[in-house]
Amino acid sequence: MLSLIGLGLWDEKDVSIRGLEELKKSDRVYAEVYTNDINSGTLDRLAEMIDKPIIVLSREQVEDAKELLEEAKKKNVSLIIPGDPMISTTHISLRIDAKKKGVDLKIIHASSILSAAISESGLHTYKFGKPVTLPFWTEKYKPTSTYDSLAENAKNGLHTLLFIDLKEGKGMNSKEAFELMGKIEEERKAGLLSKKSKILALSRVGSDEQKVSYGTIEKLEKMNVGKPPLIFIVPGKLHFTEEEVLSLHEI
Amino acid sequence: MLSLIGLGLWDEKDVSIRGLEELKKSDRVYAEVYTNDINSGTLDRLAEMIDKPIIVLSREQVEDAKELLEEAKKKNVSLIIPGDPMISTTHISLRIDAKKKGVDLKIIHASSILSAAISESGLHTYKFGKPVTLPFWTEKYKPTSTYDSLAENAKNGLHTLLFIDLKEGKGMNSKEAFELMGKIEEERKAGLLSKKSKILALSRVGSDEQKVSYGTIEKLEKMNVGKPPLIFIVPGKLHFTEEEVLSLHEI
């Protein structure tokens, strides 16, 4: 049996009681942390709580999970995954491979940035369109496709969750994010990310350091909106209760 | 201080360690369970775990939260909310009222059907459009607007999360849901919910009784897709890895 255990939003305290019990029962505990900006010390403290070592796997060991699945045929193996074990492409292959090899797979859910960001924003769940990432640019690859999703949602009056990218577990900071958004706006020029656009910036959701700030990009750029991981919300058409709740975070 | 504590997907074991610690520290613990189909015995077992009573509030006591907020001015008060404390209209007012009265408000997140359903489906998070509810019909109110969101998402190749309604904490069962979908299709006739449409049906996500079934509505109707709470996913355009992962649930 392979159990994918959600680590939740921030640190070891975001694991559910069900997850903790499963970890205590497991013969072997692994962790996959390369997709996320994990709070330092989390795994050490969790290992202490469950009184057994947690072995960190490399990206390759999760993507080509032959050994992991072989072990899971004979033992109860847990794999800790940050957030709610959302199905990234890696996890989809893991699931398909498990099925092929006849290994039972269980998911133990935990808090997720997807619902937590909506919850913290106070905006209506049913008014969120397709979410999108603001990806790092490289020398050769400078995508502006983030704007397509923003435009599609805006056309329908919907809000957009804008995931600010992570690379090798390190989140893009607000300075980089605002600069990138400026460059994309310059190229696309539809005013969705102009200096006067009002957006909601959320930093380190679910932690004691959480910051939520609402204002124009111009103002947000000049202040400290908090450290990564970041997630922004570009609001669509606002209901008056939504305006009221956003004003609680107005800078 | 008022803490909104997420109960998570299914029962007391879905509370996070952080949530449990907060409940243990609280002077008073309330619960709001009228918006959800809560697993029986959950609050009793949780009360035992935190060694203090949990007082269930009526809808009115949460909507007009004067007393709750007065108490939270002087004491550490917790309010347990099913799932991740998503911001229903009620919770938005609670937050705004707390701010007006100078009461600090904290949210402790937990697993949520929003991310758990996506996670269990194996479909790509970035391909989900606006979610929508399939609401109960009454003698006088027979809404078919669910279809508008389905059509909008389908046009853009996006998947739709279809929340199957709850009324007074009781979830619509699959027979009622399929009948209603049939009636809506009959009225709208765009083939999005035809007998040949393939959808994913998820029952009691996160519980030991969880069922996930993929097939045509015609086939799903004839089998037991599981008990409420239910959530359906109407897929948009499928990537080949998504087709592969859905086939794991093919009936």
Side-chain angles (χ1 to χ4, degrees):
Chain A
M1 156 87 82
L2 177 63
S3 304
L4 305 183
I5 315 258
L7 187 55
L9 280 169
W10 186 242
D11 64 19
E12 74 283 358
K13 291 193 178 175
D14 290 311
V15 174
S16 69
I17 297 169
R18 190 185 306 282
L20 191 68
E21 286 182 356
E22 186 70 29
L23 289 170
K24 285 181 179 168
K25 280 190 301 189
S26 294
D27 300 313
R28 187 79 75 130
V29 178
Y30 296 105
E32 174 273 269
V33 292
Y34 63 83
T35 49
N36 244 276
D37 207 351
I38 197 174
N39 183 19
S40 76
T42 294
L43 292 182
D44 294 340
R45 290 188 297 269
L46 188 55
E48 208 163 293
M49 284 164 74
I50 61 174
D51 197 23
K52 66 185 76 166
I54 296 174
I55 303 154
V56 174
L57 298 183
S58 70
R59 183 173 202 128
E60 291 69 33
Q61 285 170 306
V62 179
E63 285 181 350
D64 178 16
K66 233 175 296 165
E67 284 181 44
L68 189 67
L69 291 172
E70 274 309 315
E71 196 175 7
K73 270 190 186 172
K74 290 162 272 174
K75 294 179 183 170
N76 286 321
V77 175
S78 287
L79 176 62
I80 296 169
I81 297 178
D84 194 23
M86 296 301 286
I87 304 304
S88 71
T89 314
T90 313
H91 304 145
I92 294 190
S93 340
L94 192 58
R95 183 186 288 198
I96 292 169
D97 290 349
K99 183 80 175 189
K100 281 183 188 157
K101 287 188 192 282
V103 174
D104 285 334
L105 190 144
K106 179 159 75 175
I107 301 177
I108 297 187
H109 297 281
S111 52
S112 144
I113 187 62
L114 187 69
S115 68
I118 295 176
S119 164
E120 292 290 340
S121 76
L123 299 175
H124 297 172
T125 310
Y126 296 97
K127 288 175 62 187
F128 278 83
K130 178 187 170 177
V132 67
T133 294
L134 181 73
F136 280 108
W137 278 10
T138 65
E139 207 46 58
K140 292 192 175 163
Y141 185 55
K142 302 186 194 307
T144 62
S145 54
T146 303
Y147 217 82
D148 299 330
S149 300
L150 283 172
E152 193 177 300
N153 287 336
K155 198 182 66 187
N156 296 312
L158 301 175
H159 313 315
T160 305
L161 276 173
L162 188 56
F163 291 96
I164 307 304
D165 207 6
L166 297 148
K167 199 162 53 187
E168 283 148 27
K170 220 182 125 18
M172 187 189 293
N173 68 36
S174 59
K175 188 167 174 287
E176 295 170 296
F178 287 124
E179 267 180 28
L180 211 47
M181 284 157 66
K183 284 180 191 165
I184 294 176
E185 177 62 40
E186 219 170 277
E187 200 160 305
R188 296 297 196 94
K189 294 192 176 70
L192 295 171
L193 297 175
S194 79
K195 296 284 176 204
K196 301 289 177 202
S197 306
K198 285 178 105 169
I199 68 167
L200 189 74
L202 301 105
S203 154
R204 305 202 155 183
V205 172
S207 79
D208 290 341
E209 301 166 46
Q210 173 175 307
K211 268 196 171 186
V212 183
S213 326
Y214 180 62
T216 61
I217 289 180
E218 192 166 38
K219 276 193 182 169
L220 290 169
E221 276 187 318
K222 287 180 193 147
M223 66 174 277
N224 174 15
V225 299
K227 290 183 191 153
L230 296 168
I231 185 164
F232 292 171
I233 293 175
V234 181
K237 200 162 178 293
L238 293 168
H239 185 257
F240 73 94
T241 57
E242 293 183 312
E243 277 183 11
E244 200 168 359
V245 81
L246 282 180
S247 74
L248 301 179
H249 303 293
E250 186 111 33
I251 51 169
Chain B
M1 154 87 83
L2 177 63
S3 303
L4 305 183
I5 315 257
L7 187 54
L9 280 170
W10 185 242
D11 64 19
E12 74 283 359
K13 292 193 177 174
D14 290 311
V15 173
S16 70
I17 298 170
R18 190 184 307 280
L20 191 67
E21 285 182 356
E22 187 70 29
L23 289 170
K24 285 182 179 167
K25 280 189 302 190
S26 294
D27 300 312
R28 187 79 75 133
V29 178
Y30 296 104
E32 174 272 271
V33 291
Y34 63 84
T35 49
N36 245 278
D37 206 354
I38 196 175
N39 182 19
S40 75
T42 294
L43 293 182
D44 293 340
R45 291 188 297 267
L46 188 55
E48 208 163 290
M49 283 164 73
I50 61 173
D51 198 23
K52 66 186 76 166
I54 297 174
I55 303 153
V56 174
L57 297 183
S58 69
R59 181 171 203 130
E60 291 68 35
Q61 284 170 308
V62 179
E63 284 179 352
D64 178 17
K66 233 175 295 164
E67 284 181 43
L68 189 67
L69 291 170
E70 274 309 315
E71 195 175 9
K73 269 191 188 172
K74 290 163 273 173
K75 293 179 183 172
N76 286 322
V77 175
S78 288
L79 176 62
I80 297 169
I81 297 177
D84 194 24
M86 297 301 285
I87 304 306
S88 70
T89 315
T90 314
H91 305 146
I92 295 191
S93 341
L94 192 58
R95 183 186 289 197
I96 293 170
D97 290 350
K99 182 80 175 190
K100 281 184 188 157
K101 287 189 193 282
V103 174
D104 286 333
L105 190 144
K106 180 160 73 172
I107 300 178
I108 297 186
H109 297 281
S111 52
S112 143
I113 187 62
L114 187 69
S115 68
I118 296 176
S119 164
E120 292 289 342
S121 76
L123 299 174
H124 297 170
T125 310
Y126 296 98
K127 288 175 61 187
F128 279 83
K130 176 187 171 179
V132 68
T133 293
L134 180 73
F136 280 108
W137 278 12
T138 64
E139 207 47 56
K140 292 191 175 163
Y141 186 54
K142 302 186 194 307
T144 62
S145 54
T146 303
Y147 217 83
D148 299 332
S149 300
L150 283 173
E152 194 177 299
N153 288 336
K155 199 181 65 187
N156 296 312
L158 301 175
H159 313 315
T160 305
L161 276 172
L162 187 57
F163 291 97
I164 308 303
D165 207 5
L166 297 149
K167 200 161 54 187
E168 284 147 25
K170 221 182 125 21
M172 187 189 295
N173 66 37
S174 59
K175 186 167 176 285
E176 295 170 297
F178 287 124
E179 267 179 28
L180 211 49
M181 284 157 67
K183 285 181 190 165
I184 293 175
E185 178 61 41
E186 218 170 279
E187 200 160 306
R188 295 299 195 95
K189 295 191 175 68
L192 295 170
L193 297 175
S194 79
K195 295 285 175 203
K196 302 288 177 202
S197 306
K198 284 178 106 170
I199 68 168
L200 189 74
L202 302 104
S203 155
R204 304 202 156 182
V205 173
S207 79
D208 291 340
E209 301 166 48
Q210 173 176 308
K211 269 195 171 187
V212 183
S213 328
Y214 179 61
T216 60
I217 290 180
E218 195 166 38
K219 276 192 184 170
L220 290 169
E221 274 186 320
K222 286 179 195 149
M223 65 174 277
N224 174 15
V225 298
K227 290 183 191 153
L230 296 167
I231 185 163
F232 292 171
I233 293 176
V234 181
K237 199 163 178 294
L238 292 169
H239 185 258
F240 74 93
T241 57
E242 292 183 312
E243 277 183 10
E244 201 169 356
V245 81
L246 282 181
S247 74
L248 301 180
H249 304 293
E250 187 109 33
I251 51 167

